């Protein structure tokens, strides 16, 4: 059981850390770069990313890390180890709730709506400005949650 827990924590720390890095890139320069080009081009670029990412290796990291977090939370509850278990549950909750589920609840619907936008009129400009603001805000949430989850898993590894 100890080796399964150790491997799970190491894999979840790496997975959530990598996901945090990808989200960090969007929060710190990708969305800002898109906001500096004409809306029609920014929308086309974002739609291209959204279409590409669902078939990319990112999904092979993003989804399995969420599943691994659930496994870690269950292992923490089955064999409660005080602070280590608390860190495991906290890391799992941060990743699953604030990174994985917030993506499904907030970012994906915004991406679906963006896919239907066309043209370069005032409505498109207004939609794009709102999309950039709201999508990026939720991306900040995902970035911080994924990073904190990684830190929690590393810290748990140090004390289990």
């Amino acid at each position: 059981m100890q080796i399964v827990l150790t491997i799970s924590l190491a894999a979840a720390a790496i997975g959530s850390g990598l996901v945090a890095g990808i989200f960090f890139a969007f929060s710190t320069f990708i969305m800002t770069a898109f906001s500096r080009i004409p809306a029609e081009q920014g929308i086309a670029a974002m739609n291209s990313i959204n279409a590409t990412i669902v078939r990319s290796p990112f999904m092979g990291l993003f989804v399995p890390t969420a599943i691994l977090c659930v496994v870690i939370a269950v292992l923490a509850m089955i064999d409660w180890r005080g602070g280590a278990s608390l860190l495991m549950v906290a890391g799992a909750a941060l990743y699953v709730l604030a990174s994985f589920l917030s993506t499904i609840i907030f970012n994906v619907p915004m991406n679906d709506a963006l896919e239907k936008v066309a043209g370069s009129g005032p409505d498109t400009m207004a939609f794009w400005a709102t999309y950039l603001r709201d999508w990026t805000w939720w991306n900040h949430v995902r970035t911080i949650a994924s990073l904190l989850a990684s830190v929690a898993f590393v810290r748990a590894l140090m004390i289990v």
Side-chain angles (χ1 to χ4, degrees), residues 23-24 26-27 107 135-144:
F23 290 159
F24 181 78
F26 277 90
S27 282
N107 293 83
W135 193 97
T136 303
W137 192 91
W138 282 108
N139 194 65
H140 293 336
V141 170
R142 300 186 307 173
T143 303
I144 292 167

Side-chain angles (χ1 to χ4, degrees), residues 62-151:
F62 187 56
V63 175
T65 299
I67 294 167
L68 199 52
C69 286
V70 172
V71 170
I72 288 169
V74 169
L75 291 174
M77 298 297 222
I78 290 173
D79 183 18
W80 190 258
R81 299 168 187 229
S85 290
L86 189 60
L87 285 166
M88 291 188 289
V89 171
L94 279 166
Y95 187 86
V96 171
L97 298 175
S99 181
F100 189 76
L101 288 179
S102 75
T103 297
I104 294 168
I105 294 169
F106 299 108
N107 293 83
V108 170
M110 284 188 263
N111 293 342
D112 292 343
L114 184 67
E115 187 178 21
K116 297 174 183 140
V117 172
S120 58
D123 291 343
T124 299
M125 299 289 286
F127 180 88
W128 180 236
T130 301
Y131 176 90
L132 284 169
R133 182 194 65 227
D134 295 349
W135 193 97
T136 303
W137 192 91
W138 282 108
N139 194 65
H140 293 336
V141 170
R142 300 186 307 173
T143 303
I144 292 167
S146 297
L147 179 60
L148 291 175
S150 182
V151 169

Side-chain angles (χ1 to χ4, degrees), residues 3-50:
I3 190 70
V4 172
L5 180 60
T6 300
I7 291 170
S8 296
L9 282 170
I14 292 168
S16 57
L18 287 170
V19 168
I22 292 165
F23 290 159
F24 181 78
F26 277 90
S27 282
T28 57
F29 64 88
I30 293 172
M31 298 308 282
T32 301
F34 287 170
S35 74
R36 292 182 178 163
I37 59 178
E40 198 170 338
Q41 293 175 10
I43 291 168
M46 192 66 190
N47 280 333
S48 179
I49 287 173
N50 292 336

